[in-house]
Amino acid sequence: MSQFPPKAERLRTRWLGRLPFVEAWDLQRALWETRVNESATDDVLLLLEHPPVYTLGRNGDGSNLLVAQETLAAQGTEFHQVDRGGDITYHGPGQLVGYPIMALSDPKQIVPYVRKLEESLIGALAEFDIDAWSEPGLTGVWTALGKVAAIGVRVSRGVTMHGFSLNVSTDLTAFEAMHPCGITDRSVTSVSELLGRDAFIEELVPVVERHFAGVFGYPVVETQHAAFVRGQGRPRQFVVDQLIEAGTFSGHRHSMEPVLFKGRLMGEPERPDWMKVKADMGADFTEMKKLMRGLELNTVCEEAGCPNIYECWGQGTATIMILGEFCTRACSFCDVKTGKPTGLDLMEPFRVAEAVKAMGLEHAVITSVNRDDLDDGGSDVFAATIREIRRSSPGTSVEVLIPDFKGEPGPLDTVMSEKPEVLNHNTETVLRLQRDVRTAANYGRSLALLARAKRANPTGRTKSGLIVGMGETEEEVLGALDDLHAVGVNIVTIGQYLRPTPRHARIERYVHPDEFARYKAHGEGIGIDRVESGPLVRSSYHAKESAQLETV
């Protein structure tokens, strides 16, 4: 390996939507690390929007913040001192933030890199007939009405972090709480103010991407965008919201069920032969069901209608679902009931451990519903369950499939303190479809969680899963595999979406086994240790075999 990673031939650009600053910071650090050690060979441009936050560079002057940090906190605004250059700046709604994670051909030439960032933004603004420029001795992009973009970067071991922020429709009063970038005699402006109309981030993202790639000379660019939601672009209707309004996730049957023709919704393809599953309710299956009912435990195998339930239960394996049967979220692919959870069963970890011991499991998989009603998201129960399994079955490895805990680091730390052999968190679908498929979830948040888990336990395995057949393209799935590998994920599962009921999102296509094989070849080819990819694969399929892999 060379002292610095070589220049990339390909750029991956990702519009992630709104993501809190600290989660984006942790995601950057993970991408930086895999780029530095050359396990990832692409450069990445993260584009996003932050909730309100002030950040101060490593050599910045704290007196340039003109209000007390306690006042900001009371307003719900964060403050962080960070490891970039520059002084104080503000990020918030209506501002397009860009974080390039890229290897510089000459890591000592930081000033020319900054000048190229300015050039790319100036070129993008020119497409909107905005006259902008850089100024000698100052960093950023300037206009007749003031500074429209700030730049603050870090370069370490030849790879960049942090980047730029472009005021699109930002509330400029937020800048009154500081001396922006330490400058006291210049004003700030926004694209909306310069155009004399409301501007949207959606307008700027593709233009900025194009100019960035052109200025830095990337021959290949792979781009994926999250949905642009209210305030970022034109209004849209999302499938999952329509399903919620229709009561799909309430668990009650409706008098107005969608009409099926030969078992299919209108527009759905015919189910191919490779998707047919034989129901084998033999003695082992029956015994497993009796055990779960006797211990009053839920399984995701039943709740989510897994097609592999007969195979897995027949082999004495199951994925136990803790924290109740009601989920506080709704996802358009999932048959777990959405509702208000009732209480918390603190004896559940002991019953789970009893079931694991009774089954004689070598590898136990524990998952849960989302419990956004709990301050800790249910993480204490996850941790207690891991401890009890190890107490009663010390030879059993443990895999936990966790929710995102709303991006809070504390609950994840609670789980990771028990060092599960596998930390699984499903990304579920490609970036473009996240908002259509999942509520209160975020692709960038999922990547940040997986990165944090790997940092907390570098010798443990991280895992994620994707469902296909919901409207994604093959290229998008390949890009998602690249993203998962870039945050250190060791194991990925990819399976076909199967509509649980007529009220759920329709099946857009049945993915051919050859395409699943290409996903496996690509993922393992770029360095993911194991990719389980096939029509009937689910998150816990062959979990024991995957957990026993040697990681590299």
Side-chain angles (χ1 to χ4, degrees), residues 194-498:
L194 291 161
L195 292 178
R197 65 167 177 84
D198 289 336
F200 294 99
I201 288 177
E202 184 175 8
E203 299 177 79
L204 272 296
V205 164
V207 181
V208 169
E209 287 173 329
R210 186 170 65 253
H211 281 270
F212 182 93
V215 167
F216 285 97
Y218 289 97
V220 180
V221 181
E222 189 258 318
T223 297
Q224 294 195 34
H225 293 166
F228 293 91
V229 298
R230 184 182 300 275
Q232 298 167 346
R234 60 182 177 83
R236 292 170 170 81
Q237 274 199 322
F238 297 102
V239 170
V240 70
D241 295 333
Q242 297 169 352
L243 296 177
I244 291 171
E245 291 174 5
T248 294
F249 310 103
S250 65
H252 303 297
R253 289 188 61 85
H254 293 244
S255 58
M256 295 295 291
E257 290 284 317
V259 177
L260 297 178
F261 177 72
K262 294 185 178 180
R264 306 196 303 273
L265 291 173
M266 183 178 297
E268 281 189 334
E270 185 176 352
R271 179 171 293 198
D273 290 340
W274 67 75
M275 288 306 306
K276 295 175 181 176
V277 181
K278 181 181 179 182
D280 183 4
M281 300 184 189
D284 291 331
F285 177 91
T286 304
E287 284 299 313
M288 178 70 75
K289 190 163 189 173
K290 186 186 300 183
L291 175 64
M292 293 302 162
R293 296 295 79 77
L295 292 172
E296 298 181 341
L297 295 174
N298 299 305
T299 71
V300 76
C301 320
E302 298 169 286
E303 294 293 334
C306 179
N308 301 311
I309 188 170
Y310 308 108
E311 176 186 352
C312 295
W313 281 28
Q315 296 174 352
T317 62
T319 298
I320 299 173
M321 189 171 74
I322 61 175
L323 296 169
E325 59 180 338
F326 285 98
C327 186
T328 53
R329 301 187 191 178
C331 298
S332 63
F333 59 85
C334 186
D335 202 24
V336 175
K337 293 185 287 292
T338 298
K340 184 177 181 179
T342 54
L344 193 62
D345 184 356
L346 298 180
M347 296 304 294
E348 191 171 44
F350 300 93
R351 298 200 309 278
V352 171
E354 183 180 346
V356 168
K357 185 175 182 179
M359 287 186 282
L361 295 182
E362 296 178 21
H363 183 72
V365 183
I366 311 300
T367 189
S368 78
V369 293
N370 276 281
R371 290 297 302 264
D372 294 331
D373 60 308
L374 301 174
D375 290 340
D376 73 338
S379 60
D380 282 344
V381 175
F382 262 109
T385 302
I386 297 170
R387 287 195 298 272
E388 289 306 314
I389 290 173
R390 288 189 171 142
R391 183 187 61 79
S392 61
S393 304
T396 299
S397 58
V398 181
E399 175 176 332
V400 287
L401 172 55
I402 63 171
D404 63 22
F405 299 130
K406 296 191 289 187
E408 294 295 330
L412 178 62
D413 290 343
T414 297
V415 175
M416 294 308 298
S417 68
E418 300 300 328
K419 288 187 163 44
E421 280 74 13
V422 180
L423 188 289
N424 189 352
H425 172 72
N426 284 338
T427 317
E428 306 293 9
T429 188
V430 300
L431 178 56
R432 176 175 56 86
L433 296 179
Q434 291 284 316
R435 182 60 183 83
D436 245 337
V437 169
R438 308 163 82 192
T439 57
N442 182 295
Y443 186 84
R445 171 165 289 170
S446 291
L447 292 180
L449 180 148
L450 291 162
R452 287 169 168 174
K454 176 59 71 175
R455 185 177 299 117
N457 185 15
T459 60
R461 294 166 177 80
T462 51
K463 178 178 177 181
S464 192
L466 296 166
I467 303 169
V468 294
M470 302 192 75
E472 74 294 324
T473 67
E474 182 170 346
E475 291 73 19
E476 287 176 317
V477 177
L478 297 177
L481 287 169
D482 292 332
D483 294 343
L484 291 169
H485 171 249
V487 295
V489 170
N490 304 109
I491 306 164
V492 178
T493 59
I494 308 175
Q496 171 70 48
Y497 167 59
L498 295 174

Side-chain angles (χ1 to χ4, degrees), residues 118-192:
E118 293 169 344
E119 180 185 347
S120 64
L121 294 173
I122 290 167
L125 292 170
E127 290 203 23
F128 294 86
D129 295 325
I130 294 175
D131 186 19
W133 57 84
S134 59
E135 293 199 0
L138 296 175
T139 299
V141 177
W142 303 82
T143 71
L145 296 183
K147 190 174 188 177
V148 71
I151 293 174
V153 303
R154 175 176 183 256
V155 179
S156 177
R157 298 173 65 184
V159 178
T160 67
M161 283 181 62
H162 301 286
F164 62 84
S165 54
L166 175 63
N167 300 329
V168 179
S169 56
T170 321
D171 180 0
L172 299 179
T173 61
F175 292 89
E176 296 172 3
M178 64 176 184
H179 292 143
C181 301
I183 300 173
T184 60
D185 60 347
R186 299 289 189 99
S187 60
V188 294
T189 187
S190 67
V191 174
S192 289

